Amino acid sequence: MSEYAHASKSALKLKGVDPSISKKKKKKNKDKDKERERDEALQALESVSSEDSKGKERKMTKAELAYKKRREDIEKDRIKKRAQLSHKDKVEKFNSYLNTLSEHYDIPKVSWTK
């Protein structure tokens, strides 16, 4: 016989608790939970945005407006410059740049025989 033959194989029983009472597990409907969470998030965002519109609105100063306008102008110019060059033009420009570099930047050949 085994050493554990006399051990109880049933679940543990607590004193003073009726063993017939057991909690039933709830079945979760994941789709409804996800929809509910989405709705709550949307409502929270709407309430925050409505609070912002009701609260103090921060107006930009003249300097901030000028800075923002200048940034937009610079960005537009940058985009125009990039749009003007075709791929062929970019390649030619890059090749001409490489030709102007001195040979100092070239990788020298290494020969172990000499």
Side-chain angles (χ1 to χ4, degrees), residues 77-94:
D77 292 340
R78 189 176 293 146
I79 291 171
K80 285 180 183 178
K81 282 183 182 178
R82 285 192 176 185
Q84 286 177 350
L85 290 177
S86 67
H87 178 70
K88 185 177 181 180
D89 296 334
K90 290 178 186 176
V91 170
E92 288 177 2
K93 184 178 176 184
F94 182 68

Side-chain angles (χ1 to χ4, degrees), residues 34-102:
K34 288 180 183 178
E35 288 178 17
R36 188 178 310 125
E37 288 176 6
R38 286 183 198 147
D39 292 340
E40 289 173 357
L42 288 174
Q43 288 174 354
L45 286 175
E46 289 173 0
S47 65
V48 169
S49 63
S50 65
E51 289 174 5
D52 289 341
S53 63
K54 290 178 185 177
K56 296 180 182 178
E57 291 185 22
R58 182 179 177 272
K59 294 185 180 180
M60 297 178 81
T61 63
K62 291 179 182 178
E64 288 174 331
L65 290 172
Y67 175 79
K68 187 175 180 182
K69 185 178 182 221
R70 183 68 183 143
R71 274 280 138 211
E72 289 173 358
D73 292 342
I74 291 172
E75 190 65 27
K76 285 178 186 177
D77 292 340
R78 189 176 293 146
I79 291 171
K80 285 180 183 178
K81 282 183 182 178
R82 285 192 176 185
Q84 286 177 350
L85 290 177
S86 67
H87 178 70
K88 185 177 181 180
D89 296 334
K90 290 178 186 176
V91 170
E92 288 177 2
K93 184 178 176 184
F94 182 68
N95 285 336
S96 66
Y97 168 73
L98 290 177
N99 287 335
T100 59
L101 291 177
S102 66

